């Protein structure tokens, strides 16, 4: 990326087992794992998974709670997932994600139709949870 437009850089998710979470995101969601070997060797505090060229999810172990001192009360956020994170995908990728989740026996919701989002009205969407209970919505606009 060469322009300086505002973009989402990363989302930090609290997880019980970062390696297991990375495995879920790789196999069920199709995201590329990052720094797994370094994390397993103790060289880094957490691994990540790549959503796209610009955005990653950091998989923060709950054991890091006591190190969350950047703001008063930051440690209290541990274990409290956000309401949900929404992933917008092209139609073919949207369908492939649902198939992968079902192949991994991950429960998915029924489809929702014509729901509002950052790009206007999304044609279809559905929801699923990761192994730590974080809720994700997947949608496509075209």
């Amino acid at each position: 990326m060469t322009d300086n437009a505002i973009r989402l850089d990363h989302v930090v998710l609290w997880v019980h087992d970062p390696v297991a979470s990375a495995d879920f995101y790789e196999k069920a969601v199709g995201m590329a794992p990052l720094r797994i070997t370094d994390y397993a060797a103790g060289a880094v505090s957490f691994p990540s998974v790549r959503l796209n060229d610009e955005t990653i999810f950091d998989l923060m172990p709950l054991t890091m709670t006591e190190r969350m001192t950047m703001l008063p009360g930051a440690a209290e956020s541990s274990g409290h997932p956000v309401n949900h994170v929404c992933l917008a995908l092209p139609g073919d990728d949207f369908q492939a994600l649902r198939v992968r989740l079902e192949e991994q026996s991950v429960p998915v919701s029924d489809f929702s139709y014509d729901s509002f989002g950052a790009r206007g009205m999304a044609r279809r969407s559905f929801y699923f949870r990761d192994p730590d209970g974080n809720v994700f919505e997947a949608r496509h606009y075209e």
Side-chain angles (χ1 to χ4, degrees), residues 22 32-37 39 44 46-51 55-57:
L34 304 170
R35 304 181 342 146
I36 299 299
T37 304
Y39 174 74
V44 298
F46 57 88
S48 303
V49 289
R50 181 159 298 284
L51 175 65
T55 310
I56 60 174
F57 290 173

Side-chain angles (χ1 to χ4, degrees), residues 65-130:
T65 302
E66 67 279 355
R67 294 175 63 184
M68 298 294 108
T69 59
M70 70 291 284
L71 291 171
E76 296 165 11
S77 75
S78 98
H80 299 282
V82 298
N83 181 274
H84 73 276
V85 174
C86 183
L87 308 175
L89 303 98
D92 290 344
D93 293 338
F94 172 86
Q95 191 58 41
L97 170 60
R98 189 170 178 100
V99 168
R100 275 195 314 277
L101 291 168
E102 290 172 342
E103 287 173 350
Q104 297 286 319
S105 300
V106 176
V108 296
S109 73
D110 291 336
F111 287 115
S112 296
Y113 298 92
D114 300 320
S115 58
F116 180 76
R119 298 183 204 167
M121 299 303 283
R123 187 165 176 210
R124 290 185 302 167
S125 66
F126 68 88
Y127 294 84
F128 65 94
R129 290 183 186 270
D130 75 1

Side-chain angles (χ1 to χ4, degrees), residues 11 16 19 26-27 29 32 43 60 73 81 84 100 113 122-123 135 138:
V11 174
H16 292 281
V19 173
E26 179 180 20
K27 291 178 179 165
V29 185
M60 186 69 65
H84 73 276
R100 275 195 314 277
Y113 298 92
R123 187 165 176 210
V135 177

